[in-house]
């Protein structure tokens, strides 16, 4: 997608063989890119959310492993790097999926070729994710068209950022929105700010604004009221891990959004590339929920009137805080799962129908 | 309740006949009081949320009318002041209730006595609200005792601030919590920060901390996850207006909290003095929902490391925001309504059973 008229992916390789990413902790106020030259830098970028979003975390992990192999291509180094990257963020399954794919590809290569092979495979992962997201966009567009009423704006609500910044390009939940907007459908997006890290207000609003898609930021608390008062037609969210039964782990606050959608008979769709489906996790109850720093709740970073960024304390001094970063939306609250292969019910049977080969791995 | 060891109400009169309040926009970082000497100052304090919380807004409105009558006791001035104060905040019914009570009391007085009569009546309103809140605390305590399990901490979740800062003293939803804590019940409160104005993180956490009640601040988004993972025993919230059918308007985000409680079979109680019950509003659909400034969503005020307060921009520049300040929780999601007269089902019949005289006013 475009930033100031220039096309960007969220992660790319430079002509001198380095990895570069957009520093998402600086958005929406600064557009800065940062180079990842070592395993340590890649792991740090994932943990501190310089890169975030399940597909992008996976892609960055893949390149992180390639960078590690460039420094040391031995089996020991491979395993150490794998574990180090896997430990950065526990909830999204894409990271494990991408690391597994790189490791399996290089495992039987001679050490002298491993770095190059990993590099090529990481690039293939990125290209495949872009293709999958574009396909999700095309399939999701049909859902938007089905909900569209004549002479009315179509009001979509989303949570967190499941746009191109969360992926390599296009996005998952937002891909259908971009395609709808581009094809002339009058679409408007309610953007939940997504406390505590505000990826909605800072990233989704930035993305949609950059592409010219009409949108309005709301406190997450307002979503239920907007639904009850008839101002929402459709919910579209991403997921960091869809379990084999269709339960979807996603940014904290997704589950209450799904409850409000159900209470108001509003369709609630989860859009994911197949790399976010975890065939080995039977249900959402087994998905590890990352606990992040309480400071993400008690402190807030923003822009002062003079243009500088500052972090302010916003909670009563001395009060403790906890910060679970994800929740699980049970499958029965999900209208459908949109993947690159098609749209299916959120159930084991539904997922199996789209991925008969993959789902055979489930008993592993 | 106590601040730094000294007992405070949220509103009081000084020995030289002025009204003084705690400036709640400065909490939790500064404890400052401010004098209200004119109608204009009282109206400004309500609109800018120097004072907030349905019962306190009512009490401040009552004193605002008394201050107006001190300057001009004529019928015309009375009606102008009534309208001016009523327009400050539309959702809480306590304001109209208190203004009606003052106006009815002074209407047939000769002008020379009106200011004094209003002053005495405003004080009576404050005393009655304190009494009602204490009674709510005693009645609500029975609910906490009923949920309490042996050798376990009782986990209550609340939203916004329905503590003593929202009232004249004691609070509504938090009154039972204070009494439980004081009587040795091991109670812990999950405090939803309550975006966009963060009254939970700034006021409820300040209050509970001041009284020594164990509590933990969370992003509002985390409430559903805590419920789904068995970490919440009871929801207690206040309300700015309970309609005659038991629907409850309260701070934005209360409705999704109630949905999550229902989905997890957790009792959800609404605590209000009878001044918050609007017998003339048949259901929540007729409650006017205040829209506040989008800047409350896109900007955030907090404390810089040097101790000064600063306001930072937290949303993508150029993105619009909307800010509905309240939502309506339908009666069927409410386990019970706790009033100073007793606890009743959230229904017309339930409310009538406690207030047979008041409810006769409903058809008005």
């Amino acid at each position: 997608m475009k930033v100031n008229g220039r096309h960007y992916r969220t992660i790319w390789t430079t002509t001198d063989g380095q990895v570069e990413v957009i520093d998402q902790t600086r958005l929406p106020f600064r557009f800065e890119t940062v180079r990842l030259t070592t395993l340590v830098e890649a792991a740090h970028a994932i943990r501190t959310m310089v890169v975030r979003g399940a597909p992008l975390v996976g892609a960055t992990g893949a390149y992180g492993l390639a960078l590690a192999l460039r420094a040391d291509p031995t089996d020991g180094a491979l395993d150490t790097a794998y574990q180090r990257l896997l430990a950065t963020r526990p909830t999204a399954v894409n990271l494990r999926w991408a690391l597994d794919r790189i490791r399996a590809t290089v495992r039987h290569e001679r050490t002298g070729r491993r770095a190059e092979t990993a590099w090529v495979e990481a690039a293939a992962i990125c290209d495949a994710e872009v293709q999958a997201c574009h396909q999700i966009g095309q399939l999701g567009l049909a859902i938007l068209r089905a909900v569209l009423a004549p002479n009315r704006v179509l009001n979509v609500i989303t949570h967190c950022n499941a746009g191109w910044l969360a992926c390599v390009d296009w996005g998952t939940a937002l891909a259908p929105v971009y395609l709808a907007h581009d094809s002339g459908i009058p679409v408007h997006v309610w953007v939940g700010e997504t406390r505590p890290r505000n990826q909605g207000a800072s990233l989704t609003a930035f993305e949609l604004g950059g592409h010219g898609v009409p949108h309005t930021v709301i406190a997450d608390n307002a979503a239920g009221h907007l639904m009850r008062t008839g101002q929402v037609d459709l919910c579209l969210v991403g997921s960091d891990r869809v379990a084999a039964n269709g339960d979807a782990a996603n940014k904290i606050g997704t589950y209450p959004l799904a409850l409000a959608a159900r209470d108001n008979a509003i369709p609630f769709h989860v859009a994911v590339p197949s790399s976010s489906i975890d065939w080995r996790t039977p249900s959402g109850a087994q998905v590890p929920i990352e606990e992040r720093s309480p400071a993400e709740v008690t402190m807030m970073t923003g822009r002062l009137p003079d243009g500088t960024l500052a972090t302010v304390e916003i909670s009563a001094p001395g009060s403790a805080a906890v910060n679970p970063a994800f929740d699980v939306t049970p499958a029965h609250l999900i209208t459908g799962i949109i993947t690159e292969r098609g749209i299916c019910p959120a159930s084991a049977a539904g997922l199996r129908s789209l991925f008969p080969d993959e789902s055979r791995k489930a008993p592993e």
Side-chain angles (χ1 to χ4, degrees), chain A residues 329-353:
Chain A
T329 299
H332 70 89
L333 296 177
I334 300 170
T335 309
I337 296 180
I338 311 172
T339 77
E340 71 270 28
R341 290 266 187 98
I343 301 164
C344 70
S347 65
L351 290 167
R352 267 200 308 269
S353 71

PDB file of all heavy atoms in Angstrom, chain A residues 329-353:
ATOM      1  N   THR A 329     -12.226 -15.395  21.196  1.00  0.00           N
ATOM      2  CA  THR A 329     -13.630 -15.327  20.800  1.00  0.00           C
ATOM      3  C   THR A 329     -14.077 -16.735  20.440  1.00  0.00           C
ATOM      4  O   THR A 329     -13.515 -17.349  19.525  1.00  0.00           O
ATOM      5  CB  THR A 329     -13.807 -14.387  19.597  1.00  0.00           C
ATOM      6  OG1 THR A 329     -13.389 -13.075  19.974  1.00  0.00           O
ATOM      7  CG2 THR A 329     -15.250 -14.345  19.142  1.00  0.00           C
ATOM      8  N   PRO A 330     -15.062 -17.253  21.173  1.00  0.00           N
ATOM      9  CA  PRO A 330     -15.484 -18.635  20.891  1.00  0.00           C
ATOM     10  C   PRO A 330     -16.115 -18.729  19.495  1.00  0.00           C
ATOM     11  O   PRO A 330     -16.768 -17.796  19.026  1.00  0.00           O
ATOM     12  CB  PRO A 330     -16.493 -18.938  21.990  1.00  0.00           C
ATOM     13  CG  PRO A 330     -16.913 -17.617  22.541  1.00  0.00           C
ATOM     14  CD  PRO A 330     -15.805 -16.651  22.279  1.00  0.00           C
ATOM     15  N   ALA A 331     -15.904 -19.857  18.874  1.00  0.00           N
ATOM     16  CA  ALA A 331     -16.342 -20.060  17.490  1.00  0.00           C
ATOM     17  C   ALA A 331     -17.820 -19.754  17.285  1.00  0.00           C
ATOM     18  O   ALA A 331     -18.211 -19.216  16.250  1.00  0.00           O
ATOM     19  CB  ALA A 331     -16.035 -21.509  17.081  1.00  0.00           C
ATOM     20  N   HIS A 332     -18.644 -20.034  18.309  1.00  0.00           N
ATOM     21  CA  HIS A 332     -20.084 -19.869  18.088  1.00  0.00           C
ATOM     22  C   HIS A 332     -20.490 -18.397  17.923  1.00  0.00           C
ATOM     23  O   HIS A 332     -21.599 -18.104  17.492  1.00  0.00           O
ATOM     24  CB  HIS A 332     -20.880 -20.543  19.215  1.00  0.00           C
ATOM     25  CG  HIS A 332     -20.784 -19.851  20.534  1.00  0.00           C
ATOM     26  ND1 HIS A 332     -21.658 -18.850  20.911  1.00  0.00           N
ATOM     27  CD2 HIS A 332     -19.908 -19.978  21.559  1.00  0.00           C
ATOM     28  CE1 HIS A 332     -21.323 -18.419  22.122  1.00  0.00           C
ATOM     29  NE2 HIS A 332     -20.266 -19.085  22.531  1.00  0.00           N
ATOM     30  N   LEU A 333     -19.587 -17.475  18.264  1.00  0.00           N
ATOM     31  CA  LEU A 333     -19.887 -16.058  18.050  1.00  0.00           C
ATOM     32  C   LEU A 333     -19.403 -15.560  16.688  1.00  0.00           C
ATOM     33  O   LEU A 333     -19.608 -14.397  16.340  1.00  0.00           O
ATOM     34  CB  LEU A 333     -19.233 -15.208  19.154  1.00  0.00           C
ATOM     35  CG  LEU A 333     -19.718 -15.431  20.585  1.00  0.00           C
ATOM     36  CD1 LEU A 333     -18.912 -14.568  21.552  1.00  0.00           C
ATOM     37  CD2 LEU A 333     -21.215 -15.103  20.711  1.00  0.00           C
ATOM     38  N   ILE A 334     -18.736 -16.421  15.935  1.00  0.00           N
ATOM     39  CA  ILE A 334     -18.124 -16.014  14.662  1.00  0.00           C
ATOM     40  C   ILE A 334     -18.997 -16.466  13.494  1.00  0.00           C
ATOM     41  O   ILE A 334     -19.313 -17.655  13.373  1.00  0.00           O
ATOM     42  CB  ILE A 334     -16.701 -16.610  14.539  1.00  0.00           C
ATOM     43  CG1 ILE A 334     -15.827 -16.095  15.693  1.00  0.00           C
ATOM     44  CG2 ILE A 334     -16.079 -16.271  13.174  1.00  0.00           C
ATOM     45  CD1 ILE A 334     -14.476 -16.800  15.825  1.00  0.00           C
ATOM     46  N   THR A 335     -19.384 -15.504  12.669  1.00  0.00           N
ATOM     47  CA  THR A 335     -20.253 -15.823  11.534  1.00  0.00           C
ATOM     48  C   THR A 335     -19.509 -16.624  10.485  1.00  0.00           C
ATOM     49  O   THR A 335     -20.040 -17.574   9.904  1.00  0.00           O
ATOM     50  CB  THR A 335     -20.780 -14.520  10.904  1.00  0.00           C
ATOM     51  OG1 THR A 335     -21.327 -13.696  11.931  1.00  0.00           O
ATOM     52  CG2 THR A 335     -21.839 -14.804   9.854  1.00  0.00           C
ATOM     53  N   GLY A 336     -18.268 -16.238  10.213  1.00  0.00           N
ATOM     54  CA  GLY A 336     -17.497 -16.964   9.213  1.00  0.00           C
ATOM     55  C   GLY A 336     -16.027 -16.610   9.301  1.00  0.00           C
ATOM     56  O   GLY A 336     -15.665 -15.566   9.847  1.00  0.00           O
ATOM     57  N   ILE A 337     -15.204 -17.521   8.803  1.00  0.00           N
ATOM     58  CA  ILE A 337     -13.766 -17.278   8.742  1.00  0.00           C
ATOM     59  C   ILE A 337     -13.393 -17.123   7.269  1.00  0.00           C
ATOM     60  O   ILE A 337     -13.717 -17.983   6.439  1.00  0.00           O
ATOM     61  CB  ILE A 337     -12.984 -18.424   9.418  1.00  0.00           C
ATOM     62  CG1 ILE A 337     -13.337 -18.449  10.917  1.00  0.00           C
ATOM     63  CG2 ILE A 337     -11.481 -18.236   9.225  1.00  0.00           C
ATOM     64  CD1 ILE A 337     -12.644 -19.534  11.709  1.00  0.00           C
ATOM     65  N   ILE A 338     -12.755 -15.993   6.966  1.00  0.00           N
ATOM     66  CA  ILE A 338     -12.359 -15.698   5.592  1.00  0.00           C
ATOM     67  C   ILE A 338     -10.883 -16.041   5.442  1.00  0.00           C
ATOM     68  O   ILE A 338     -10.034 -15.468   6.132  1.00  0.00           O
ATOM     69  CB  ILE A 338     -12.571 -14.207   5.265  1.00  0.00           C
ATOM     70  CG1 ILE A 338     -13.963 -13.737   5.687  1.00  0.00           C
ATOM     71  CG2 ILE A 338     -12.316 -13.940   3.780  1.00  0.00           C
ATOM     72  CD1 ILE A 338     -14.175 -12.226   5.565  1.00  0.00           C
ATOM     73  N   THR A 339     -10.583 -16.995   4.592  1.00  0.00           N
ATOM     74  CA  THR A 339      -9.185 -17.368   4.336  1.00  0.00           C
ATOM     75  C   THR A 339      -8.901 -17.199   2.845  1.00  0.00           C
ATOM     76  O   THR A 339      -9.817 -16.907   2.069  1.00  0.00           O
ATOM     77  CB  THR A 339      -8.911 -18.834   4.718  1.00  0.00           C
ATOM     78  OG1 THR A 339      -9.445 -19.669   3.677  1.00  0.00           O
ATOM     79  CG2 THR A 339      -9.559 -19.210   6.035  1.00  0.00           C
ATOM     80  N   GLU A 340      -7.661 -17.430   2.461  1.00  0.00           N
ATOM     81  CA  GLU A 340      -7.325 -17.317   1.039  1.00  0.00           C
ATOM     82  C   GLU A 340      -7.954 -18.425   0.208  1.00  0.00           C
ATOM     83  O   GLU A 340      -8.044 -18.331  -1.013  1.00  0.00           O
ATOM     84  CB  GLU A 340      -5.799 -17.295   0.837  1.00  0.00           C
ATOM     85  CG  GLU A 340      -5.074 -18.611   1.080  1.00  0.00           C
ATOM     86  CD  GLU A 340      -4.627 -18.785   2.527  1.00  0.00           C
ATOM     87  OE1 GLU A 340      -5.274 -18.223   3.432  1.00  0.00           O
ATOM     88  OE2 GLU A 340      -3.611 -19.506   2.742  1.00  0.00           O
ATOM     89  N   ARG A 341      -8.418 -19.478   0.871  1.00  0.00           N
ATOM     90  CA  ARG A 341      -9.042 -20.590   0.146  1.00  0.00           C
ATOM     91  C   ARG A 341     -10.554 -20.443   0.014  1.00  0.00           C
ATOM     92  O   ARG A 341     -11.198 -21.190  -0.715  1.00  0.00           O
ATOM     93  CB  ARG A 341      -8.780 -21.898   0.896  1.00  0.00           C
ATOM     94  CG  ARG A 341      -7.354 -22.372   0.860  1.00  0.00           C
ATOM     95  CD  ARG A 341      -7.109 -23.357  -0.265  1.00  0.00           C
ATOM     96  NE  ARG A 341      -5.766 -23.893  -0.131  1.00  0.00           N
ATOM     97  CZ  ARG A 341      -5.478 -25.069   0.444  1.00  0.00           C
ATOM     98  NH1 ARG A 341      -6.444 -25.833   0.908  1.00  0.00           N
ATOM     99  NH2 ARG A 341      -4.231 -25.472   0.540  1.00  0.00           N
ATOM    100  N   GLY A 342     -11.140 -19.565   0.831  1.00  0.00           N
ATOM    101  CA  GLY A 342     -12.590 -19.438   0.809  1.00  0.00           C
ATOM    102  C   GLY A 342     -13.104 -19.022   2.174  1.00  0.00           C
ATOM    103  O   GLY A 342     -12.312 -18.783   3.098  1.00  0.00           O
ATOM    104  N   ILE A 343     -14.400 -18.948   2.296  1.00  0.00           N
ATOM    105  CA  ILE A 343     -15.041 -18.550   3.547  1.00  0.00           C
ATOM    106  C   ILE A 343     -15.734 -19.780   4.115  1.00  0.00           C
ATOM    107  O   ILE A 343     -16.421 -20.506   3.384  1.00  0.00           O
ATOM    108  CB  ILE A 343     -16.065 -17.430   3.291  1.00  0.00           C
ATOM    109  CG1 ILE A 343     -15.354 -16.226   2.655  1.00  0.00           C
ATOM    110  CG2 ILE A 343     -16.777 -17.036   4.579  1.00  0.00           C
ATOM    111  CD1 ILE A 343     -16.286 -15.229   2.017  1.00  0.00           C
ATOM    112  N   CYS A 344     -15.540 -20.021   5.413  1.00  0.00           N
ATOM    113  CA  CYS A 344     -16.122 -21.227   5.993  1.00  0.00           C
ATOM    114  C   CYS A 344     -16.713 -20.912   7.358  1.00  0.00           C
ATOM    115  O   CYS A 344     -16.383 -19.901   7.966  1.00  0.00           O
ATOM    116  CB  CYS A 344     -15.072 -22.331   6.121  1.00  0.00           C
ATOM    117  SG  CYS A 344     -13.815 -22.000   7.381  1.00  0.00           S
ATOM    118  N   PRO A 345     -17.598 -21.779   7.852  1.00  0.00           N
ATOM    119  CA  PRO A 345     -18.078 -21.614   9.220  1.00  0.00           C
ATOM    120  C   PRO A 345     -16.914 -21.778  10.208  1.00  0.00           C
ATOM    121  O   PRO A 345     -15.947 -22.481   9.914  1.00  0.00           O
ATOM    122  CB  PRO A 345     -19.083 -22.757   9.406  1.00  0.00           C
ATOM    123  CG  PRO A 345     -19.421 -23.224   8.027  1.00  0.00           C
ATOM    124  CD  PRO A 345     -18.218 -22.940   7.190  1.00  0.00           C
ATOM    125  N   ALA A 346     -17.032 -21.115  11.352  1.00  0.00           N
ATOM    126  CA  ALA A 346     -15.995 -21.230  12.376  1.00  0.00           C
ATOM    127  C   ALA A 346     -16.204 -22.530  13.136  1.00  0.00           C
ATOM    128  O   ALA A 346     -16.836 -22.567  14.198  1.00  0.00           O
ATOM    129  CB  ALA A 346     -16.060 -20.025  13.312  1.00  0.00           C
ATOM    130  N   SER A 347     -15.689 -23.592  12.584  1.00  0.00           N
ATOM    131  CA  SER A 347     -15.847 -24.915  13.201  1.00  0.00           C
ATOM    132  C   SER A 347     -14.757 -25.816  12.638  1.00  0.00           C
ATOM    133  O   SER A 347     -14.151 -25.511  11.606  1.00  0.00           O
ATOM    134  CB  SER A 347     -17.216 -25.515  12.854  1.00  0.00           C
ATOM    135  OG  SER A 347     -17.298 -25.764  11.456  1.00  0.00           O
ATOM    136  N   ALA A 348     -14.529 -26.936  13.303  1.00  0.00           N
ATOM    137  CA  ALA A 348     -13.531 -27.888  12.823  1.00  0.00           C
ATOM    138  C   ALA A 348     -13.902 -28.366  11.423  1.00  0.00           C
ATOM    139  O   ALA A 348     -13.065 -28.430  10.518  1.00  0.00           O
ATOM    140  CB  ALA A 348     -13.437 -29.066  13.791  1.00  0.00           C
ATOM    141  N   ALA A 349     -15.192 -28.668  11.231  1.00  0.00           N
ATOM    142  CA  ALA A 349     -15.629 -29.154   9.920  1.00  0.00           C
ATOM    143  C   ALA A 349     -15.460 -28.072   8.854  1.00  0.00           C
ATOM    144  O   ALA A 349     -15.054 -28.353   7.719  1.00  0.00           O
ATOM    145  CB  ALA A 349     -17.093 -29.609   9.996  1.00  0.00           C
ATOM    146  N   GLY A 350     -15.790 -26.853   9.234  1.00  0.00           N
ATOM    147  CA  GLY A 350     -15.665 -25.753   8.287  1.00  0.00           C
ATOM    148  C   GLY A 350     -14.231 -25.562   7.839  1.00  0.00           C
ATOM    149  O   GLY A 350     -13.946 -25.463   6.637  1.00  0.00           O
ATOM    150  N   LEU A 351     -13.319 -25.537   8.799  1.00  0.00           N
ATOM    151  CA  LEU A 351     -11.909 -25.342   8.460  1.00  0.00           C
ATOM    152  C   LEU A 351     -11.379 -26.525   7.658  1.00  0.00           C
ATOM    153  O   LEU A 351     -10.634 -26.360   6.691  1.00  0.00           O
ATOM    154  CB  LEU A 351     -11.086 -25.137   9.741  1.00  0.00           C
ATOM    155  CG  LEU A 351     -11.331 -23.807  10.465  1.00  0.00           C
ATOM    156  CD1 LEU A 351     -10.721 -23.830  11.862  1.00  0.00           C
ATOM    157  CD2 LEU A 351     -10.763 -22.628   9.662  1.00  0.00           C
ATOM    158  N   ARG A 352     -11.782 -27.736   8.030  1.00  0.00           N
ATOM    159  CA  ARG A 352     -11.344 -28.937   7.309  1.00  0.00           C
ATOM    160  C   ARG A 352     -11.792 -28.903   5.854  1.00  0.00           C
ATOM    161  O   ARG A 352     -11.076 -29.363   4.965  1.00  0.00           O
ATOM    162  CB  ARG A 352     -11.925 -30.189   7.974  1.00  0.00           C
ATOM    163  CG  ARG A 352     -11.026 -30.828   9.017  1.00  0.00           C
ATOM    164  CD  ARG A 352     -11.407 -32.295   9.273  1.00  0.00           C
ATOM    165  NE  ARG A 352     -12.820 -32.477   9.584  1.00  0.00           N
ATOM    166  CZ  ARG A 352     -13.320 -32.452  10.821  1.00  0.00           C
ATOM    167  NH1 ARG A 352     -12.524 -32.235  11.855  1.00  0.00           N
ATOM    168  NH2 ARG A 352     -14.605 -32.642  11.008  1.00  0.00           N
ATOM    169  N   SER A 353     -12.988 -28.359   5.631  1.00  0.00           N
ATOM    170  CA  SER A 353     -13.513 -28.342   4.262  1.00  0.00           C
ATOM    171  C   SER A 353     -12.627 -27.499   3.341  1.00  0.00           C
ATOM    172  O   SER A 353     -12.507 -27.795   2.154  1.00  0.00           O
ATOM    173  CB  SER A 353     -14.952 -27.812   4.256  1.00  0.00           C
ATOM    174  OG  SER A 353     -14.963 -26.414   4.530  1.00  0.00           O
TER     175      SER A 353
END
